[in-house]
PDB file of all heavy atoms in Angstrom:
ATOM      1  N   LEU A 126    -144.216  70.908  21.070  1.00  0.00           N
ATOM      2  CA  LEU A 126    -143.595  72.198  20.809  1.00  0.00           C
ATOM      3  C   LEU A 126    -142.285  72.355  21.699  1.00  0.00           C
ATOM      4  O   LEU A 126    -142.365  72.142  22.882  1.00  0.00           O
ATOM      5  CB  LEU A 126    -144.527  73.349  21.146  1.00  0.00           C
ATOM      6  CG  LEU A 126    -145.802  73.298  20.391  1.00  0.00           C
ATOM      7  CD1 LEU A 126    -146.707  74.375  20.851  1.00  0.00           C
ATOM      8  CD2 LEU A 126    -145.625  73.369  18.874  1.00  0.00           C
ATOM      9  N   PRO A 127    -141.108  72.663  21.068  1.00  0.00           N
ATOM     10  CA  PRO A 127    -139.878  72.771  21.808  1.00  0.00           C
ATOM     11  C   PRO A 127    -139.756  74.116  22.522  1.00  0.00           C
ATOM     12  O   PRO A 127    -138.738  74.389  23.127  1.00  0.00           O
ATOM     13  CB  PRO A 127    -138.841  72.705  20.694  1.00  0.00           C
ATOM     14  CG  PRO A 127    -139.505  73.189  19.485  1.00  0.00           C
ATOM     15  CD  PRO A 127    -140.923  72.814  19.595  1.00  0.00           C
ATOM     16  N   ILE A 128    -140.758  75.004  22.412  1.00  0.00           N
ATOM     17  CA  ILE A 128    -140.691  76.206  23.176  1.00  0.00           C
ATOM     18  C   ILE A 128    -141.899  76.183  24.189  1.00  0.00           C
ATOM     19  O   ILE A 128    -142.762  75.324  24.071  1.00  0.00           O
ATOM     20  CB  ILE A 128    -140.877  77.473  22.243  1.00  0.00           C
ATOM     21  CG1 ILE A 128    -142.134  77.393  21.453  1.00  0.00           C
ATOM     22  CG2 ILE A 128    -139.682  77.542  21.330  1.00  0.00           C
ATOM     23  CD1 ILE A 128    -142.411  78.578  20.568  1.00  0.00           C
ATOM     24  N   PRO A 129    -141.891  77.064  25.162  1.00  0.00           N
ATOM     25  CA  PRO A 129    -142.881  76.967  26.266  1.00  0.00           C
ATOM     26  C   PRO A 129    -144.311  77.093  25.801  1.00  0.00           C
ATOM     27  O   PRO A 129    -144.913  78.171  25.915  1.00  0.00           O
ATOM     28  CB  PRO A 129    -142.486  78.085  27.199  1.00  0.00           C
ATOM     29  CG  PRO A 129    -141.113  78.392  26.863  1.00  0.00           C
ATOM     30  CD  PRO A 129    -140.905  78.096  25.451  1.00  0.00           C
ATOM     31  N   ALA A 130    -144.834  76.052  25.210  1.00  0.00           N
ATOM     32  CA  ALA A 130    -146.258  75.987  24.897  1.00  0.00           C
ATOM     33  C   ALA A 130    -146.619  74.503  24.808  1.00  0.00           C
ATOM     34  O   ALA A 130    -145.986  73.765  24.198  1.00  0.00           O
ATOM     35  CB  ALA A 130    -146.508  76.684  23.570  1.00  0.00           C
ATOM     36  N   VAL A 131    -147.589  74.089  25.595  1.00  0.00           N
ATOM     37  CA  VAL A 131    -148.045  72.730  25.608  1.00  0.00           C
ATOM     38  C   VAL A 131    -149.465  72.580  25.203  1.00  0.00           C
ATOM     39  O   VAL A 131    -150.311  73.352  25.659  1.00  0.00           O
ATOM     40  CB  VAL A 131    -147.804  72.144  27.084  1.00  0.00           C
ATOM     41  CG1 VAL A 131    -148.234  70.744  27.109  1.00  0.00           C
ATOM     42  CG2 VAL A 131    -146.347  72.304  27.480  1.00  0.00           C
ATOM     43  N   ILE A 132    -149.718  71.583  24.392  1.00  0.00           N
ATOM     44  CA  ILE A 132    -151.086  71.283  23.970  1.00  0.00           C
ATOM     45  C   ILE A 132    -151.505  70.017  24.724  1.00  0.00           C
ATOM     46  O   ILE A 132    -150.947  68.990  24.640  1.00  0.00           O
ATOM     47  CB  ILE A 132    -151.145  71.078  22.481  1.00  0.00           C
ATOM     48  CG1 ILE A 132    -150.651  72.276  21.753  1.00  0.00           C
ATOM     49  CG2 ILE A 132    -152.569  70.754  22.041  1.00  0.00           C
ATOM     50  CD1 ILE A 132    -150.456  72.116  20.311  1.00  0.00           C
ATOM     51  N   ALA A 133    -152.659  70.148  25.369  1.00  0.00           N
ATOM     52  CA  ALA A 133    -153.199  69.025  26.171  1.00  0.00           C
ATOM     53  C   ALA A 133    -153.898  68.023  25.250  1.00  0.00           C
ATOM     54  O   ALA A 133    -154.654  68.427  24.379  1.00  0.00           O
ATOM     55  CB  ALA A 133    -154.162  69.498  27.220  1.00  0.00           C
ATOM     56  N   GLY A 134    -153.590  66.700  25.419  1.00  0.00           N
ATOM     57  CA  GLY A 134    -154.344  65.662  24.696  1.00  0.00           C
ATOM     58  C   GLY A 134    -153.670  65.320  23.387  1.00  0.00           C
ATOM     59  O   GLY A 134    -153.070  66.112  22.746  1.00  0.00           O
ATOM     60  N   CYS A 135    -153.926  64.007  23.046  1.00  0.00           N
ATOM     61  CA  CYS A 135    -153.415  63.532  21.757  1.00  0.00           C
ATOM     62  C   CYS A 135    -154.485  62.771  21.110  1.00  0.00           C
ATOM     63  O   CYS A 135    -155.388  62.289  21.805  1.00  0.00           O
ATOM     64  CB  CYS A 135    -152.187  62.668  21.904  1.00  0.00           C
ATOM     65  SG  CYS A 135    -150.706  63.576  22.406  1.00  0.00           S
ATOM     66  N   GLY A 136    -154.371  62.547  19.790  1.00  0.00           N
ATOM     67  CA  GLY A 136    -155.411  61.776  19.093  1.00  0.00           C
ATOM     68  C   GLY A 136    -156.552  62.726  18.694  1.00  0.00           C
ATOM     69  O   GLY A 136    -156.738  63.798  19.230  1.00  0.00           O
ATOM     70  N   GLY A 137    -157.260  62.292  17.668  1.00  0.00           N
ATOM     71  CA  GLY A 137    -158.388  63.119  17.244  1.00  0.00           C
ATOM     72  C   GLY A 137    -157.861  64.316  16.428  1.00  0.00           C
ATOM     73  O   GLY A 137    -156.644  64.378  16.103  1.00  0.00           O
ATOM     74  N   ASP A 138    -158.773  65.268  16.122  1.00  0.00           N
ATOM     75  CA  ASP A 138    -158.348  66.439  15.366  1.00  0.00           C
ATOM     76  C   ASP A 138    -157.904  67.563  16.333  1.00  0.00           C
ATOM     77  O   ASP A 138    -158.617  68.509  16.527  1.00  0.00           O
ATOM     78  CB  ASP A 138    -159.586  66.885  14.540  1.00  0.00           C
ATOM     79  CG  ASP A 138    -159.227  67.968  13.555  1.00  0.00           C
ATOM     80  OD1 ASP A 138    -157.974  68.217  13.377  1.00  0.00           O
ATOM     81  OD2 ASP A 138    -160.128  68.549  12.962  1.00  0.00           O
ATOM     82  N   ASP A 139    -156.670  67.387  16.859  1.00  0.00           N
ATOM     83  CA  ASP A 139    -156.188  68.380  17.812  1.00  0.00           C
ATOM     84  C   ASP A 139    -155.983  69.720  17.189  1.00  0.00           C
ATOM     85  O   ASP A 139    -156.030  70.724  17.868  1.00  0.00           O
ATOM     86  CB  ASP A 139    -154.873  67.835  18.459  1.00  0.00           C
ATOM     87  CG  ASP A 139    -155.146  66.642  19.407  1.00  0.00           C
ATOM     88  OD1 ASP A 139    -156.268  66.492  19.893  1.00  0.00           O
ATOM     89  OD2 ASP A 139    -154.195  65.922  19.579  1.00  0.00           O
ATOM     90  N   SER A 140    -155.596  69.758  15.926  1.00  0.00           N
ATOM     91  CA  SER A 140    -155.305  71.030  15.246  1.00  0.00           C
ATOM     92  C   SER A 140    -156.486  71.994  15.327  1.00  0.00           C
ATOM     93  O   SER A 140    -156.303  73.184  15.496  1.00  0.00           O
ATOM     94  CB  SER A 140    -154.922  70.772  13.791  1.00  0.00           C
ATOM     95  OG  SER A 140    -153.727  70.032  13.672  1.00  0.00           O
ATOM     96  N   SER A 141    -157.693  71.430  15.152  1.00  0.00           N
ATOM     97  CA  SER A 141    -158.841  72.318  15.179  1.00  0.00           C
ATOM     98  C   SER A 141    -159.205  72.792  16.547  1.00  0.00           C
ATOM     99  O   SER A 141    -160.016  73.786  16.701  1.00  0.00           O
ATOM    100  CB  SER A 141    -160.094  71.503  14.578  1.00  0.00           C
ATOM    101  OG  SER A 141    -160.430  70.432  15.405  1.00  0.00           O
ATOM    102  N   SER A 142    -158.594  72.256  17.608  1.00  0.00           N
ATOM    103  CA  SER A 142    -158.890  72.742  18.931  1.00  0.00           C
ATOM    104  C   SER A 142    -157.741  73.520  19.530  1.00  0.00           C
ATOM    105  O   SER A 142    -157.815  74.012  20.647  1.00  0.00           O
ATOM    106  CB  SER A 142    -159.188  71.531  19.834  1.00  0.00           C
ATOM    107  OG  SER A 142    -158.022  70.683  19.925  1.00  0.00           O
ATOM    108  N   GLU A 143    -156.642  73.774  18.769  1.00  0.00           N
ATOM    109  CA  GLU A 143    -155.555  74.522  19.321  1.00  0.00           C
ATOM    110  C   GLU A 143    -155.938  75.984  19.498  1.00  0.00           C
ATOM    111  O   GLU A 143    -156.781  76.518  18.762  1.00  0.00           O
ATOM    112  CB  GLU A 143    -154.336  74.465  18.308  1.00  0.00           C
ATOM    113  CG  GLU A 143    -153.624  73.130  18.278  1.00  0.00           C
ATOM    114  CD  GLU A 143    -152.352  73.245  17.455  1.00  0.00           C
ATOM    115  OE1 GLU A 143    -151.465  74.068  17.910  1.00  0.00           O
ATOM    116  OE2 GLU A 143    -152.182  72.498  16.526  1.00  0.00           O
ATOM    117  N   ASP A 144    -155.380  76.575  20.544  1.00  0.00           N
ATOM    118  CA  ASP A 144    -155.592  78.005  20.816  1.00  0.00           C
ATOM    119  C   ASP A 144    -155.129  78.838  19.609  1.00  0.00           C
ATOM    120  O   ASP A 144    -153.950  78.749  19.243  1.00  0.00           O
ATOM    121  CB  ASP A 144    -154.899  78.392  22.082  1.00  0.00           C
ATOM    122  CG  ASP A 144    -155.043  79.918  22.366  1.00  0.00           C
ATOM    123  OD1 ASP A 144    -156.219  80.336  22.520  1.00  0.00           O
ATOM    124  OD2 ASP A 144    -154.031  80.600  22.364  1.00  0.00           O
ATOM    125  N   PRO A 145    -155.996  79.635  19.030  1.00  0.00           N
ATOM    126  CA  PRO A 145    -155.591  80.457  17.869  1.00  0.00           C
ATOM    127  C   PRO A 145    -154.483  81.441  18.093  1.00  0.00           C
ATOM    128  O   PRO A 145    -153.627  81.614  17.247  1.00  0.00           O
ATOM    129  CB  PRO A 145    -156.893  81.191  17.420  1.00  0.00           C
ATOM    130  CG  PRO A 145    -157.758  81.157  18.640  1.00  0.00           C
ATOM    131  CD  PRO A 145    -157.397  79.906  19.396  1.00  0.00           C
ATOM    132  N   GLN A 146    -154.423  82.020  19.301  1.00  0.00           N
ATOM    133  CA  GLN A 146    -153.354  82.976  19.638  1.00  0.00           C
ATOM    134  C   GLN A 146    -152.005  82.207  19.676  1.00  0.00           C
ATOM    135  O   GLN A 146    -151.002  82.728  19.257  1.00  0.00           O
ATOM    136  CB  GLN A 146    -153.645  83.691  20.954  1.00  0.00           C
ATOM    137  CG  GLN A 146    -152.585  84.788  21.295  1.00  0.00           C
ATOM    138  CD  GLN A 146    -152.589  85.941  20.276  1.00  0.00           C
ATOM    139  OE1 GLN A 146    -153.615  86.573  20.096  1.00  0.00           O
ATOM    140  NE2 GLN A 146    -151.450  86.144  19.576  1.00  0.00           N
ATOM    141  N   THR A 147    -152.028  81.017  20.217  1.00  0.00           N
ATOM    142  CA  THR A 147    -150.822  80.257  20.358  1.00  0.00           C
ATOM    143  C   THR A 147    -150.298  79.891  18.962  1.00  0.00           C
ATOM    144  O   THR A 147    -149.059  79.972  18.651  1.00  0.00           O
ATOM    145  CB  THR A 147    -151.039  78.928  21.216  1.00  0.00           C
ATOM    146  OG1 THR A 147    -151.452  79.321  22.521  1.00  0.00           O
ATOM    147  CG2 THR A 147    -149.765  78.098  21.256  1.00  0.00           C
ATOM    148  N   VAL A 148    -151.237  79.442  18.095  1.00  0.00           N
ATOM    149  CA  VAL A 148    -150.779  79.119  16.721  1.00  0.00           C
ATOM    150  C   VAL A 148    -150.202  80.326  16.037  1.00  0.00           C
ATOM    151  O   VAL A 148    -149.163  80.210  15.348  1.00  0.00           O
ATOM    152  CB  VAL A 148    -152.055  78.561  15.956  1.00  0.00           C
ATOM    153  CG1 VAL A 148    -151.658  78.364  14.490  1.00  0.00           C
ATOM    154  CG2 VAL A 148    -152.511  77.274  16.543  1.00  0.00           C
ATOM    155  N   LEU A 149    -150.865  81.419  16.231  1.00  0.00           N
ATOM    156  CA  LEU A 149    -150.360  82.657  15.603  1.00  0.00           C
ATOM    157  C   LEU A 149    -149.000  83.046  16.073  1.00  0.00           C
ATOM    158  O   LEU A 149    -148.073  83.431  15.321  1.00  0.00           O
ATOM    159  CB  LEU A 149    -151.391  83.795  15.821  1.00  0.00           C
ATOM    160  CG  LEU A 149    -151.330  84.959  14.819  1.00  0.00           C
ATOM    161  CD1 LEU A 149    -151.756  84.470  13.444  1.00  0.00           C
ATOM    162  CD2 LEU A 149    -152.248  86.043  15.269  1.00  0.00           C
ATOM    163  N   ASP A 150    -148.785  83.027  17.438  1.00  0.00           N
ATOM    164  CA  ASP A 150    -147.538  83.392  18.006  1.00  0.00           C
ATOM    165  C   ASP A 150    -146.381  82.495  17.506  1.00  0.00           C
ATOM    166  O   ASP A 150    -145.345  82.962  17.115  1.00  0.00           O
ATOM    167  CB  ASP A 150    -147.594  83.286  19.562  1.00  0.00           C
ATOM    168  CG  ASP A 150    -148.439  84.320  20.204  1.00  0.00           C
ATOM    169  OD1 ASP A 150    -148.818  85.262  19.461  1.00  0.00           O
ATOM    170  OD2 ASP A 150    -148.833  84.160  21.331  1.00  0.00           O
ATOM    171  N   GLU A 151    -146.656  81.162  17.419  1.00  0.00           N
ATOM    172  CA  GLU A 151    -145.654  80.253  17.006  1.00  0.00           C
ATOM    173  C   GLU A 151    -145.372  80.308  15.548  1.00  0.00           C
ATOM    174  O   GLU A 151    -144.238  80.089  15.063  1.00  0.00           O
ATOM    175  CB  GLU A 151    -146.016  78.810  17.408  1.00  0.00           C
ATOM    176  CG  GLU A 151    -146.008  78.639  18.927  1.00  0.00           C
ATOM    177  CD  GLU A 151    -146.753  77.447  19.366  1.00  0.00           C
ATOM    178  OE1 GLU A 151    -147.349  76.706  18.554  1.00  0.00           O
ATOM    179  OE2 GLU A 151    -146.873  77.242  20.600  1.00  0.00           O
ATOM    180  N   THR A 152    -146.348  80.717  14.790  1.00  0.00           N
ATOM    181  CA  THR A 152    -146.197  80.875  13.352  1.00  0.00           C
ATOM    182  C   THR A 152    -145.315  82.051  12.999  1.00  0.00           C
ATOM    183  O   THR A 152    -144.389  81.986  12.134  1.00  0.00           O
ATOM    184  CB  THR A 152    -147.551  81.040  12.609  1.00  0.00           C
ATOM    185  OG1 THR A 152    -148.334  79.878  12.858  1.00  0.00           O
ATOM    186  CG2 THR A 152    -147.402  81.238  11.145  1.00  0.00           C
ATOM    187  N   PHE A 153    -145.573  83.200  13.621  1.00  0.00           N
ATOM    188  CA  PHE A 153    -144.827  84.423  13.261  1.00  0.00           C
ATOM    189  C   PHE A 153    -143.545  84.597  14.096  1.00  0.00           C
ATOM    190  O   PHE A 153    -142.791  85.558  13.912  1.00  0.00           O
ATOM    191  CB  PHE A 153    -145.710  85.642  13.482  1.00  0.00           C
ATOM    192  CG  PHE A 153    -146.702  85.787  12.382  1.00  0.00           C
ATOM    193  CD1 PHE A 153    -148.053  85.395  12.640  1.00  0.00           C
ATOM    194  CD2 PHE A 153    -146.398  86.176  11.147  1.00  0.00           C
ATOM    195  CE1 PHE A 153    -149.034  85.465  11.612  1.00  0.00           C
ATOM    196  CE2 PHE A 153    -147.298  86.288  10.117  1.00  0.00           C
ATOM    197  CZ  PHE A 153    -148.659  85.890  10.382  1.00  0.00           C
ATOM    198  N   ASN A 154    -143.239  83.621  14.991  1.00  0.00           N
ATOM    199  CA  ASN A 154    -141.978  83.651  15.708  1.00  0.00           C
ATOM    200  C   ASN A 154    -141.196  82.366  15.385  1.00  0.00           C
ATOM    201  O   ASN A 154    -140.390  81.893  16.241  1.00  0.00           O
ATOM    202  CB  ASN A 154    -142.233  83.757  17.223  1.00  0.00           C
ATOM    203  CG  ASN A 154    -142.653  85.108  17.544  1.00  0.00           C
ATOM    204  OD1 ASN A 154    -141.887  86.093  17.653  1.00  0.00           O
ATOM    205  ND2 ASN A 154    -143.978  85.282  17.825  1.00  0.00           N
ATOM    206  N   ASN A 155    -141.418  81.859  14.236  1.00  0.00           N
ATOM    207  CA  ASN A 155    -140.741  80.596  13.831  1.00  0.00           C
ATOM    208  C   ASN A 155    -139.576  80.921  12.951  1.00  0.00           C
ATOM    209  O   ASN A 155    -139.553  81.950  12.286  1.00  0.00           O
ATOM    210  CB  ASN A 155    -141.820  79.840  12.958  1.00  0.00           C
ATOM    211  CG  ASN A 155    -141.650  78.328  13.055  1.00  0.00           C
ATOM    212  OD1 ASN A 155    -140.512  77.864  12.884  1.00  0.00           O
ATOM    213  ND2 ASN A 155    -142.739  77.652  13.308  1.00  0.00           N
ATOM    214  N   ASP A 156    -138.514  80.106  13.037  1.00  0.00           N
ATOM    215  CA  ASP A 156    -137.295  80.466  12.307  1.00  0.00           C
ATOM    216  C   ASP A 156    -136.887  79.399  11.325  1.00  0.00           C
ATOM    217  O   ASP A 156    -135.754  79.338  10.969  1.00  0.00           O
ATOM    218  CB  ASP A 156    -136.134  80.823  13.242  1.00  0.00           C
ATOM    219  CG  ASP A 156    -135.717  79.649  14.084  1.00  0.00           C
ATOM    220  OD1 ASP A 156    -136.323  78.558  13.939  1.00  0.00           O
ATOM    221  OD2 ASP A 156    -134.857  79.835  14.965  1.00  0.00           O
TER     222      ASP A 156
END
């Protein structure tokens, strides 16, 4: 992510472990 939010770890199904609030914030503040 190019804005201040970092996801720890790579590989595997990272999407299913992302913090839901972070996903929501980045989705509705996306341009």
